[in-house]
Each structure stands twice: as structure tokens, then as C-alpha cells.
Amino acid sequence: MSKFMKLLMRIKAMSKDMRFDELRKVLETYGYKMYSPSKGSSHRTFRKKGKPPITIPENDPVKRVYVIMVKEAVEEIERGE
């Protein structure tokens, strides 16, 4: 099993120790682009045409609510919505 598939499994299992870079990798693989604010905020916004933006703070570990947001976005894309 590839590292990426293992990462997806951890997201779907709602792992409590997810890192920002892991979520970023998944979102970028699914076509999201990361945007950083112009001023010193630690939050990054991921955008994809036709999808609502996802904003995640660049902290490790990432809180569960942000993992849920990424999980829902991935599942929506996999269903073809």
C-alpha cells in the first residue's frame, strides 16, 4: 500500500495526530491550491473551483474539526460531487 493511501486511511479514520503538511498534501493532490494571507496569520486557505474554501491553521497536530473538513472534502470528490 502506498504512503498516500495510508495517509488517506488515517484521515478517514479521524487520526488524532494529523499534521498540517499531511492535510496539505492530500488537498493539493485532489486539486486544491494553498493561499497564504498577506499579513502574519498562521491560517492557510485551500481553494478549488466549484468547492467551498477550507481554512486550516498551520499547527501540529491539527485539531479534529479541520481533519473532519478535509475528510468530507475528499469523500465528496471521491463520490464525484
Side-chain angles (χ1 to χ4, degrees):
M1 183 179 298
S2 71
K3 288 182 181 181
F4 184 74
M5 292 305 294
K6 288 180 183 178
L7 182 57
L8 279 178
M9 287 177 57
R10 285 185 57 215
I11 288 173
K12 290 180 180 180
M14 299 300 298
S15 179
K16 294 180 181 179
D17 62 343
M18 296 298 301
R19 297 169 35 97
F20 174 83
D21 287 334
E22 293 171 328
L23 296 181
R24 184 190 72 200
K25 180 178 180 178
V26 169
L27 287 170
E28 287 178 344
T29 300
Y30 279 94
Y32 282 83
K33 285 190 160 193
M34 184 176 78
Y35 295 90
S36 301
S38 59
K39 303 252 177 173
S41 175
S42 64
H43 287 67
R44 306 294 179 248
T45 301
F46 294 87
R47 297 182 186 275
K48 181 177 179 176
K49 188 174 182 177
K51 303 290 182 190
I54 300 173
T55 301
I56 303 174
E58 195 171 350
N59 298 327
D60 291 326
V62 176
K63 290 184 179 180
R64 180 182 168 105
V65 66
Y66 301 109
V67 178
I68 291 170
M69 291 168 48
V70 173
K71 177 182 181 254
E72 289 173 351
V74 166
E75 289 174 344
E76 184 178 304
I77 292 169
E78 287 179 345
R79 286 191 307 263
E81 296 177 8

